Amino acid sequence: MMLTRRACLSVTGLAGTAALVGPDRPYAAASPRHGGTLTIAFRDDIATLDPAIGYDFQNWALIRALFCGLMDYEPGTTTLRPGLAETVSLSPDARVYRFTLRRGLRFHHGREVTAADVVYSLRRTIHPATQSPGQSFYAAIEGFGPFVAGETQELPGLSAPDPHTVVIRLSRPYAPFLHALALNFASVVPRDMVERYGADFGRHPVGCGAFRFDTWRIGQSVVLRRYEAYYEPGLPYLDRIIAEIGQEPLTAMLRLERGEIDVVGDGIPPARLNAIRRDPRFQGLIGIRPRLATTYLAMNVTRPPFDTLRVRQAVAHAIDKSRIVRLINGRGAPTDQIFPRGLPGYDPSFSGPAYDPARARSLLREAGWKDGFQTDLMTAATDPNPRIAQALQQDLEAIGIRASLRVLARPAMIEAACSGTGAPLIWSGDTGWSADFPDPSDFYGPILSVAAFAPGGWNWARYRNAGIDALAAEADAMAAPLQAAARLKRWQAIQAAILADQPWVPLYNPLFFVPHTARIQGAEALFTDPVVTPVNFMHVYVVEG
C-alpha cells in the first residue's frame, strides 16, 4: 500500500515510526488464536458511540473497534497507512488527494461501502448541525468556511467521481491532513442507518470495523462482537468485547485480581501502582503506555511580572521535575519539551533550563524582584493535581515567589484558564495537552498559536507570536512526502523558538500503566494506539488459564 505522487512513495514518509509501548516484563509467547471474550472495566459512562461526536477516553477505543476510515496507523507506531483506502495519491501541488477504496467492503448491516458514504460521513462531521468536536480538523478542505458559516450547502472539496474513488481537494497544502483522516471523526458511516436512527445513531452504531455492535445496557455495559466480514484477513482474534461501565479503578483492580475482568481500562490506581508493580502475580501483566501528552506549568505572559522573560526563566530553573515525578510514583518521565516523547518532531538533543534555585534567584534579582513577589497558582481538584501544585508552590517559595493556591473543580478550572481569567500560574495536571493526532502541529495550533489566544482557546499562557505563527503555517504547507524530514526539522526549530520565550515550563510526559490477566495475549498490541485510545483490541487474543 503506497502513497503515490508521480512515482510511488511509501506512506511512512509522512511520519516517522515510533514505538510507544512496553511491558513491565516480556510477555509470554503464544500463538494467536481465534475466539474468547475480553472484559474491560471503565470508570466513566459512555455518552455516545457516534464517531462524529464521541471524544471521551473510554468511548474512543470502542468507536475505533466499530468503525474504519480512509487512513489508519501501523500498530504501535505513528506511521500512517491506508485503511479503507487501497491506494492514496497526492497531486504535485499537494492539494488534491485521490483515494481508491478496497473492493468488497461492507457495513455491518450488509450494504456495500461506497465512495458516496465516505463523502457523506466527512460532510456530516463538518456540518454545523452535527456539532462535532472534530469539525475544525478538516478546515483545509475547499469550501469549509462558507459551508460551516451556513452560506452554502455545497462543499466542493469533497467528491466521489465513481463508487470506488474519493477525491478531496484542499484550499491549501496541509501536511497533517492524512492524520486528520485517521481520526475517529473521519470514520465512515452508512447514511441509511444514520437517517434511520437520527440522533440515536450513537446508541445504535453501524460501521465496518473489526467488531459490530451487540447490546448496550445503559450505565452498565456495552458488548461488541467479532465482524466476520472485516477487511483484514484473520482479524480480529476476539469473538467478543464486554466493556463494563461505572467501575472505580480501585474496585476494578480488585475484580481483576479475582479474575472477574481482564483489563482495567483506566489503568492502575495511583495509590496501588508501586504495590502492583512489585506483586509477583503481575509480572509481565502490566502494559506501560507512554501517552502522547505533556503536562506543564503555564505562565500568563500578559500579566506582570510574568510579562518579563527573566521572571519566566527563573520559574523554569526553580522547578524540580524529578521530585514531582517521584510524587506520582514514577507515572511520568521528566521533560523539557512541548513535544512529547514518541511524537514525530521530538528532539532528543534538546535540553531546557536545569533545576538550579541559585540561578533562579539570580534571574529574579536581575528582573528587579530581589525580594520576590506574591502570585496565584491555579489547578484542578482531581488527585494528584493539588499535591503537585503544593510541590510547585514549595519550589517557588524557595526562590522568593509566594504562590497562593486556587484549586477548582476541573470544569471550572478549564473555563477560567480558557477565558483568560485564570491565575497567572496554571498547573495543567491531567488536563495537560494530549495528541489528537501524532503530529507536532497539534501541539502548537490548539494551545500556543495566535488563534488559540481567543476566549475559549486553550492558550493558557496567553502567548502570541505572529512570527512563529507564520513559521508554523510554512511548516504545515510542506505537505509533499519528500519534505517530511525537513518539515520535522522546521518544527523542532519552532519549538526551540517558543521555549526561548518560556511561556511554559514543561514538566513530564505521563505514563499509563494498564494491568491485565494472564489469559490476555498479544498484549504488546493492546495499548499501542498512537493517539488517545486507551486500548487497541485488534491483535489481542485470549487463552485459558
Side-chain angles (χ1 to χ4, degrees):
M1 293 178 288
M2 311 294 280
L3 175 75
T4 58
R5 181 182 183 271
R6 304 274 183 168
C8 287
L9 300 170
S10 169
V11 77
T12 59
L14 294 172
T17 302
L20 299 177
V21 65
D24 254 13
R25 299 286 186 275
Y27 290 109
S31 299
R33 63 191 70 186
H34 290 93
T37 297
L38 180 148
T39 302
I40 183 169
F42 289 115
R43 177 183 58 197
D44 296 325
D45 202 355
I46 294 171
T48 180
L49 291 173
D50 185 336
I53 300 171
Y55 205 19
D56 294 327
F57 178 79
Q58 64 282 354
N59 67 19
W60 194 269
L62 298 179
I63 288 171
R64 206 163 186 85
L66 288 163
F67 295 91
C68 297
L70 291 172
M71 300 299 297
D72 201 352
Y73 294 98
E74 294 287 349
T77 78
T78 58
T79 301
L80 283 161
R81 66 174 182 178
L84 297 182
E86 187 170 48
T87 63
V88 186
S89 65
L90 178 62
S91 65
D93 65 358
R95 289 180 52 190
V96 181
Y97 291 85
R98 180 177 291 269
F99 302 86
T100 302
L101 297 185
R102 300 171 187 271
R103 301 298 176 110
L105 296 169
R106 293 195 175 275
F107 288 114
H108 298 152
H109 68 311
R111 183 171 67 74
E112 184 181 6
V113 179
T114 69
D117 292 305
V118 178
V119 170
Y120 167 77
S121 302
L122 286 169
R123 192 179 190 276
R124 176 175 179 261
T125 290
I126 296 169
H127 199 290
T130 306
Q131 298 184 0
S132 172
Q135 180 196 69
S136 62
F137 290 118
Y138 308 99
I141 293 176
E142 186 178 289
F144 176 93
F147 181 77
V148 168
E151 299 169 4
T152 178
Q153 292 299 305
E154 301 299 320
L155 192 54
L158 298 175
S159 63
D162 65 60
H164 296 95
T165 304
V166 177
V167 176
I168 303 179
R169 296 193 307 276
L170 306 186
S171 58
R172 64 186 188 278
Y174 180 55
F177 185 67
L178 290 181
H179 283 296
L181 293 180
L183 290 172
N184 282 1
F185 302 119
S187 297
V188 181
V189 298
R191 181 172 188 164
D192 51 325
M193 300 306 286
V194 173
E195 292 179 347
R196 173 181 173 180
Y197 289 111
D200 285 335
F201 178 73
R203 298 283 183 184
H204 303 275
V206 178
C208 55
F211 294 88
R212 62 188 304 165
F213 176 72
D214 187 333
T215 57
W216 189 339
R217 299 170 64 196
I218 302 300
Q220 298 182 55
S221 65
V222 172
V223 179
L224 310 183
R225 291 189 180 274
R226 184 176 190 267
Y227 179 42
E228 298 291 341
Y230 182 59
Y231 71 87
E232 290 197 64
L235 293 177
Y237 298 118
L238 294 171
D239 279 343
R240 193 168 61 150
I241 299 167
I242 300 175
E244 297 193 354
I245 311 303
Q247 300 282 326
E248 285 296 328
L250 281 171
T251 301
M253 197 69 223
L254 291 172
R255 296 190 65 213
L256 181 81
E257 293 177 63
R258 295 196 296 262
E260 296 172 2
I261 63 172
D262 297 304
V263 182
V264 179
D266 295 281
I268 299 175
R272 296 201 61 195
L273 178 62
N274 287 339
I276 293 297
R277 294 189 74 183
R278 289 193 298 264
D279 191 328
R281 295 176 299 168
F282 288 97
Q283 296 305 296
L285 300 178
I286 301 173
I288 304 176
R289 179 179 177 268
R291 292 178 55 199
L292 288 185
T294 300
T295 65
Y296 57 91
L297 178 66
M299 295 172 277
N300 189 328
V301 301
T302 68
R303 294 173 66 170
F306 299 103
D307 57 349
T308 302
L309 177 59
R310 281 189 174 86
V311 171
R312 300 196 298 271
Q313 291 172 331
V315 171
H317 281 291
I319 306 303
D320 186 350
K321 300 176 185 180
S322 295
R323 181 171 75 109
I324 288 170
V325 169
R326 290 196 297 273
L327 281 176
I328 57 172
N329 295 328
R331 291 183 296 117
T335 187
D336 295 330
Q337 299 189 46
I338 298 165
F339 303 152
R341 293 168 177 84
L343 187 83
Y346 176 80
D347 185 355
S349 67
F350 182 88
S351 60
Y355 173 56
D356 188 342
R359 176 61 178 152
R361 287 188 289 269
S362 175
L363 285 164
L364 280 186
R365 288 193 298 271
E366 293 174 21
W369 296 95
K370 65 183 181 65
D371 296 322
F373 56 85
Q374 179 74 38
T375 190
D376 290 332
L377 168 61
M378 183 174 73
T379 194
T382 51
D383 187 67
N385 297 328
R387 288 189 288 120
I388 295 176
Q390 290 170 354
L392 294 171
Q393 182 187 42
Q394 293 164 5
D395 285 346
L396 294 172
E397 175 73 26
I399 68 166
I401 299 177
R402 298 170 296 280
S404 299
L405 295 187
R406 292 180 55 196
V407 180
L408 305 179
R410 189 173 184 269
M413 175 264 191
I414 292 174
E415 181 180 1
C418 290
S419 68
T421 61
L425 294 173
I426 301 174
W427 157 235
S428 70
D430 60 357
T431 57
W433 194 253
S434 296
D436 295 295
F437 52 84
D439 187 86
S441 65
D442 192 50
F443 278 79
Y444 176 73
I447 50 177
L448 287 162
S449 68
V450 173
F453 181 92
W458 281 66
N459 189 337
W460 295 353
R462 318 304 291 164
Y463 176 72
R464 288 187 293 184
N465 189 318
I468 290 178
D469 249 31
L471 292 174
E474 290 174 5
D476 280 347
M478 300 170 68
L482 290 176
Q483 295 177 299
R487 178 175 177 268
L488 293 182
K489 288 289 187 184
R490 180 75 61 88
W491 270 113
Q492 289 175 345
I494 290 170
Q495 175 183 240
I498 296 168
L499 291 174
D501 288 338
Q502 204 71 65
W504 281 12
V505 182
L507 265 70
Y508 63 84
N509 303 134
L511 293 172
F512 193 52
F513 293 82
V514 185
H516 59 88
T517 57
R519 66 190 294 271
I520 299 299
Q521 298 292 319
E524 65 276 10
L526 184 58
F527 317 107
T528 58
D529 195 285
V531 279
V532 298
T533 305
V535 289
N536 183 339
F537 301 107
M538 189 68 66
H539 298 87
V540 180
Y541 55 97
V542 299
V543 296
E544 296 305 319

